Amino acid sequence: MADGGGEPDQLAGERATAQFDVDGMKVAWAGSRHAVEVADRMARLVASDPVFRKDTRTMLSRKELFKDTLKKAAHAWKRIVELRLTEEEANLLRLYVDQPGYVDLHWGMFVPAIKGQGTEEQQKKWLPMAYKFQIIGCYAQTELGHGSNVQGLETTATFDPSADEFVMHSPTLTSSKWWPGGLGKASTHAVVYARLITEGKDYGIHGFIVQLRSLDDHSPLPGVTLGDIGGKFGSGAYNSMDNGVLRFDHVRIPRDQMLMRLSQVTREGKYVHSDVPKQLLYGTMVYVRQTIVADASKALSRAVCIAVRYSAIRKQFGSQDGGPETQVLNYKTQQSRLFPLLASAYAYRFVGQWLKWLYTDVTQKLEAKDYSTLPEAHACTAGLKSVTTSATADAIEECRKLCGGHGYLNSSGLPELFAVYVPACTYEGDNVQVARFLMKTVAQVATGKQPVGTIAYMGNIQHLMQCKSAVNTAEDWLNPAAIKEVFEARALRMAVNCAQNISKAPSQEEGFSELSPDLLEAAVAHVQLIIVTKFIEKLQEDIPGPGVKEQLQKLCSIYALHLLHKHLGDFLSTGCITARQGALANELLGKLYAQVRPNAVALVDAFDYTDHYLGSVLGRYDGDVYPALYEEAWKDPLNETVVPDGYQEHLRPLLKQQLKLSRL
Ligand SMILES: CCCCCCCC/C=C\CCCC(=O)SCCNC(=O)CCNC(=O)[C@H](O)C(C)(C)COP(=O)(O)OP(=O)(O)OC[C@H]1O[C@@H](n2cnc3c(N)ncnc32)[C@H](O)[C@@H]1OP(=O)(O)O
Ligand SMILES: Cc1cc2nc3c(=O)[nH]c(=O)nc-3n(C[C@H](O)[C@H](O)[C@H](O)COP(=O)(O)OP(=O)(O)OC[C@H]3O[C@@H](n4cnc5c(N)ncnc54)[C@H](O)[C@@H]3O)c2cc1C
């Protein structure tokens, strides 16, 4: 036992009860043995480097934090170059540095925008500079007055044939670019989205590469107004990012800085649109949404890892005679709140891996001019992004509550994790854009067209509209086919209900508007079906390691059945299950929680996170929580002096005055 009552042995005991091979689970989580090895190596590289320390980050002022972010980004780049890291290694190194900054947008959006929307010539010119950090780029789309509605953007790019240049201009206050990460202080360039005007006609939104700052002294170029938009939610957290404001006053750029893969403006000013679908303009968003889904499982698994380990250490009640108290992880309520989140972390991990595959597949098809899978990719990325981010933000907050009072301390890591994570619900849109896609599919199914991919189940409409679940015992819910059938039936029936109600409206648009809350629920049901299905499909793969597949089967059942329990109203009102079957699902959930209990700590160990990356005294691998909490407290700047600053001015006179009054 450690000094002060911490119980490091407690976690060793927990690890000893695991009924599966943790190394095997690490492989299942990471995707391959190679992925485990690289991630482990990069995590340790970061953890052992003093420049990447982050334990006092929440105590820094905004300016100190931003400078620290610049230092870490530069140091990370130095290490990447010195060690000749591969792209995979470099991405992981940045992940483990774990501090949002301009590099995220440079690699995550600026480079992909040029790759996706630039011609070969433009890529040849700009990408080598971006790859070597000779220029730093951001993605400047959102404006003060327009975020979700991209077609409503006001910034103009007017072609001037006499000079062969575009004139970039911000005509109103609301047209100021507002929010782009990295824009405020770091970026030298941006991909700017603006209305293209040529020959007096407005051709809508297009992308342009614009230099913003001097490459000599970093000052804004003439006609460019730039700055940071101000402090954001939480101490530290996303304030390491310089989200910025940008205004143009008739700034000129050469014609060839319009991204011209989708459409071109000729030397004479003629607008030409190629045969590429115009929605490819939104391709960078599809790419980044796919990465945001993968990030959801990372953020969620971190929170769950902290909450599970701490719940195994923390003891409350249970002894009337001075004997040991009960680990809070043994309480059924703690399990019923925590284990669905543990299962969700695994579910999001696997759906994220699948989404990455889907994105790669679509990209290859696009190269071959096959655009058929683009609508599905758009619907899946937008839908999964929206559902996984909002569930993850809620889950991090739930993990904080599950850690009681100590979860509210910065040293728990949870407040910062929440504050950094929660904007993911907002950026890249919070609407589940999948609903229109579903309504189109329902209409197509009615004409006899057979849907494919994630909407293939809709082709089974005859069966799914009238089937009744055959579940008769709690254990029947362990059958993946039984789960899949009710999730498919629920999603389809909700979508068909919406389509029928829309058809009764005076016009389709009015129907869409009136029914948008129902459409959102139908979209969520469809997205949850995708996540459940991808988890089930994962279990059909060869998963080596004693007991690994069995644990994943339990987690898959927990993930699906907790959704069924949470959305019981949907399943009952659409007639997919009976109230008794709902109760049986809940009965099985209780049994599954008991089976996961001895494996819980090992299941979070399989995420393979270093203490540095977790950044939490409550989630420490060794479980030595109390001495660490105690030690952390003394690091607070308030404890630098025993008597606080301000005592002489504000406390002493007050206390003296009270003394005088009491003597009266
Ligand atoms: C190393 C990697 C690290 C990466 C980590 C990076 C993290 C960085 C952190 C933060 C980054 C944040 C960046 C941003 O926030 S950038 C700004 C994002 N902005 C948005 O998300 C705006 C949201 N709005 C939308 O998405 C809009 O709905 C819209 C799609 C733009 C609407 O456009 P529009 O009005 O033209 O379109 P419609 O809705 O009418 O749709 C027309 C048809 O097009 C189809 N569609 C829409 N989008 C797409 C797409 N992306 N791909 C394919 N098809 C698309 C749509 O379904 C309609 O089809 P239909 O057949 O019905 O006509
Ligand atoms: C931390 C952070 C980083 C960002 N980084 C970038 C960046 O790098 N580059 C960039 O260009 N942008 C960036 N953004 C901007 C971001 O993409 C937008 O904030 C986002 O797209 C939402 O737009 P909005 O803020 O205008 O919200 P709004 O669209 O004003 O949304 C407000 C509310 O209205 C609802 N709403 C909007 N339209 C509809 C509709 N048609 N039907 C129903 N409800 C609707 C929304 O759901 C929401 O509830 C960032 C934002 C944040 C918070």
Side-chain angles (χ1 to χ4, degrees):
M1 182 182 287
D3 175 40
E7 294 189 43
D9 288 345
Q10 190 74 52
L11 289 189
E14 290 287 337
R15 290 178 176 118
T17 63
Q19 296 154 316
F20 68 97
D21 173 36
V22 178
D23 275 342
M25 189 63 86
K26 284 183 184 172
V27 174
W29 171 264
S32 66
R33 171 73 53 200
H34 164 81
V36 177
E37 185 277 316
V38 184
D40 197 58
R41 200 156 32 83
M42 290 304 114
R44 282 171 210 289
L45 187 71
V46 172
S48 63
D49 191 327
V51 177
F52 295 133
R53 273 187 68 170
K54 55 177 185 172
D55 49 335
T56 53
R57 186 165 62 185
T58 53
M59 298 167 203
L60 300 179
S61 70
R62 175 91 201 276
K63 274 175 129 178
E64 289 167 334
L65 178 64
F66 183 68
K67 196 167 173 191
D68 181 65
T69 310
L70 295 183
K71 181 171 89 173
K72 284 180 176 153
H75 187 63
W77 181 243
K78 185 166 163 267
R79 299 302 285 146
I80 288 166
V81 173
E82 281 169 356
L83 300 170
R84 296 168 185 261
L85 298 186
T86 62
E87 193 180 335
E88 180 192 21
E89 291 169 329
N91 285 340
L92 282 162
L93 183 129
R94 278 192 286 268
L95 166 79
Y96 291 121
V97 170
D98 185 37
Q99 194 149 309
Y102 69 89
V103 284
D104 302 343
L105 282 303
H106 177 83
W107 294 114
M109 296 203 79
F110 180 71
V111 167
I114 297 174
K115 272 187 178 171
Q117 291 153 48
T119 59
E120 261 181 47
E121 209 176 308
Q122 288 176 317
Q123 294 187 33
K124 264 193 205 144
K125 175 175 172 187
W126 294 98
L127 291 179
M129 289 190 277
Y131 288 152
K132 286 185 236 149
F133 265 129
Q134 288 164 341
I135 59 174
I136 296 171
C138 65
Y139 185 88
Q141 182 175 293
T142 308
E143 296 177 355
L144 188 56
H146 314 274
S148 303
N149 179 14
V150 179
Q151 295 303 328
L153 297 179
E154 293 178 78
T155 304
T156 50
T158 309
F159 185 60
D160 172 4
S162 68
D164 197 21
E165 288 172 340
F166 283 102
V167 182
M168 308 298 296
H169 188 58
S170 313
T172 59
L173 177 69
T174 47
S175 70
S176 310
K177 292 292 172 190
W178 190 270
W179 271 118
L183 171 68
K185 296 289 162 190
S187 294
T188 60
H189 288 67
V191 168
V192 174
Y193 288 85
R195 318 196 73 80
L196 188 164
I197 298 167
T198 183
E199 296 181 319
K201 192 171 165 198
D202 182 340
Y203 285 92
I205 305 306
H206 291 74
F208 301 83
I209 301 178
V210 186
Q211 182 172 350
L212 307 173
R213 289 184 166 95
S214 154
L215 291 175
D216 295 325
D217 63 3
H218 210 61
S219 57
L221 294 187
V224 176
T225 302
L226 282 165
D228 184 276
I229 60 170
K232 294 163 295 238
F233 189 93
S235 58
Y238 214 78
N239 287 299
S240 55
M241 183 71 85
D242 51 330
N243 293 97
V245 46
L246 159 68
R247 296 203 68 176
F248 294 116
D249 182 4
H250 300 95
V251 173
R252 289 180 167 267
I253 58 166
R255 179 172 57 94
D256 69 3
Q257 286 181 210
M258 167 185 167
L259 289 171
M260 293 222 200
R261 179 166 165 206
L262 279 61
S263 37
Q264 304 85 38
V265 170
T266 66
R267 175 68 190 84
E268 296 71 36
K270 199 171 155 34
Y271 181 82
V272 184
H273 186 71
S274 62
D275 57 351
V276 181
K278 65 176 179 8
Q279 284 87 353
L280 277 185
L281 177 72
Y282 305 139
T284 313
M285 293 195 276
V286 175
Y287 165 75
V288 85
R289 284 170 189 159
Q290 168 259 136
T291 69
I292 291 171
V293 174
D295 285 351
S297 74
K298 288 177 197 135
L300 177 51
S301 54
R302 280 172 79 173
V304 166
C305 183
I306 295 166
V308 165
R309 285 184 183 159
Y310 177 65
S311 297
I313 294 295
R314 185 66 168 176
K315 292 177 178 169
Q316 293 289 311
F317 299 102
S319 164
Q320 306 298 327
D321 54 5
E325 295 179 281
T326 305
Q327 290 166 281
V328 297
L329 193 54
N330 286 341
Y331 289 112
K332 297 287 175 193
T333 44
Q334 192 84 352
Q335 294 174 11
S336 68
R337 289 165 68 192
L338 190 47
F339 292 166
L341 307 184
L342 173 63
S344 303
Y346 277 91
Y348 295 175
R349 179 75 187 182
F350 298 140
V351 83
Q353 288 167 352
W354 166 78
L355 197 60
K356 189 174 176 192
W357 168 84
L358 181 83
Y359 180 80
T360 312
D361 184 59
V362 172
T363 310
Q364 282 164 359
K365 288 194 169 106
L366 293 180
E367 297 293 331
K369 294 200 179 300
D370 172 0
Y371 306 116
S372 59
T373 49
L374 193 58
E376 190 197 9
H378 163 54
C380 284
T381 48
L384 280 165
K385 183 266 161 192
S386 179
V387 167
T388 57
T389 54
S390 54
T392 296
D394 290 349
I396 297 170
E397 169 60 0
E398 183 71 353
C399 286
R400 181 192 70 74
K401 292 185 206 154
L402 287 164
C403 292
H406 299 334
Y408 191 62
L409 280 170
N410 279 341
S411 58
S412 78
L414 292 165
E416 197 189 33
L417 185 60
F418 180 72
V420 167
Y421 190 74
V422 80
C425 303
T426 302
Y427 56 63
E428 284 302 327
D430 67 350
N431 282 306
V432 187
Q433 293 173 32
V434 74
R436 274 185 193 271
F437 177 66
L438 291 182
M439 293 304 99
K440 270 194 170 176
T441 309
V442 171
Q444 285 168 351
V445 167
T447 66
K449 192 172 169 199
Q450 190 58 34
V452 292
T454 46
I455 38 165
Y457 72 96
M458 290 189 157
N460 196 13
I461 190 161
Q462 302 294 358
H463 171 72
L464 291 176
M465 287 305 287
Q466 47 74 37
C467 64
K468 302 242 176 285
S469 172
V471 163
N472 197 30
T473 66
E475 276 64 29
D476 285 347
W477 279 121
L478 289 173
N479 178 3
I483 295 227
K484 218 167 151 217
E485 183 186 54
V486 297
F487 271 80
E488 287 182 348
R490 166 208 182 208
L492 183 66
R493 291 177 197 191
M494 288 173 79
V496 168
N497 277 347
C498 285
Q500 285 170 345
N501 289 333
I502 288 173
S503 69
K504 290 180 203 149
S507 72
Q508 209 193 33
E509 272 321 298
E510 276 177 83
F512 259 94
S513 165
E514 208 48 47
L515 285 156
S516 52
D518 298 357
L519 282 163
L520 190 66
E521 286 177 11
V524 169
H526 171 75
V527 172
Q528 289 174 344
L529 165 66
I530 297 178
I531 304 173
V532 168
T533 306
K534 295 304 155 195
F535 206 153
I536 291 173
E537 284 174 12
K538 175 80 189 173
L539 295 173
Q540 284 152 6
E541 290 174 16
D542 175 35
I543 301 179
V548 175
K549 191 179 258 195
E550 289 74 10
Q551 290 304 316
L552 290 176
Q553 279 164 338
K554 291 185 208 311
L555 291 174
C556 181
S557 300
I558 289 177
Y559 179 71
L561 295 178
H562 106 278
L563 284 181
L564 189 149
H565 183 61
K566 193 169 156 192
H567 297 275
L568 196 57
D570 285 357
F571 288 92
L572 291 176
S573 67
T574 50
C576 298
I577 62 167
T578 62
R580 184 174 164 272
Q581 288 168 328
L584 290 173
N586 207 27
E587 185 186 321
L588 181 61
L589 268 177
K591 291 180 186 168
L592 289 167
Y593 295 152
Q595 291 169 24
V596 164
R597 168 65 190 90
N599 298 289
V601 168
L603 282 167
V604 300
D605 284 350
F607 303 146
D608 206 15
Y609 293 148
T610 58
D611 281 349
H612 173 275
Y613 184 57
L614 272 189
S616 166
V617 294
L618 303 188
R620 295 165 62 98
Y621 184 84
D622 65 6
D624 209 1
V625 166
Y626 295 124
L629 268 169
Y630 195 79
E631 206 179 296
E632 278 303 309
W634 296 107
K635 290 186 191 162
D636 195 278
L638 216 50
N639 284 329
E640 276 167 13
T641 57
V642 179
V643 176
D645 283 356
Y647 166 75
Q648 291 298 344
E649 307 96 291
H650 305 300
L651 276 183
R652 193 161 190 276
L654 189 74
L655 293 166
K656 293 286 176 212
Q657 180 201 328
Q658 295 304 331
L659 205 62
K660 273 188 213 150
L661 285 174
S662 71
R663 281 185 188 144
L664 282 178

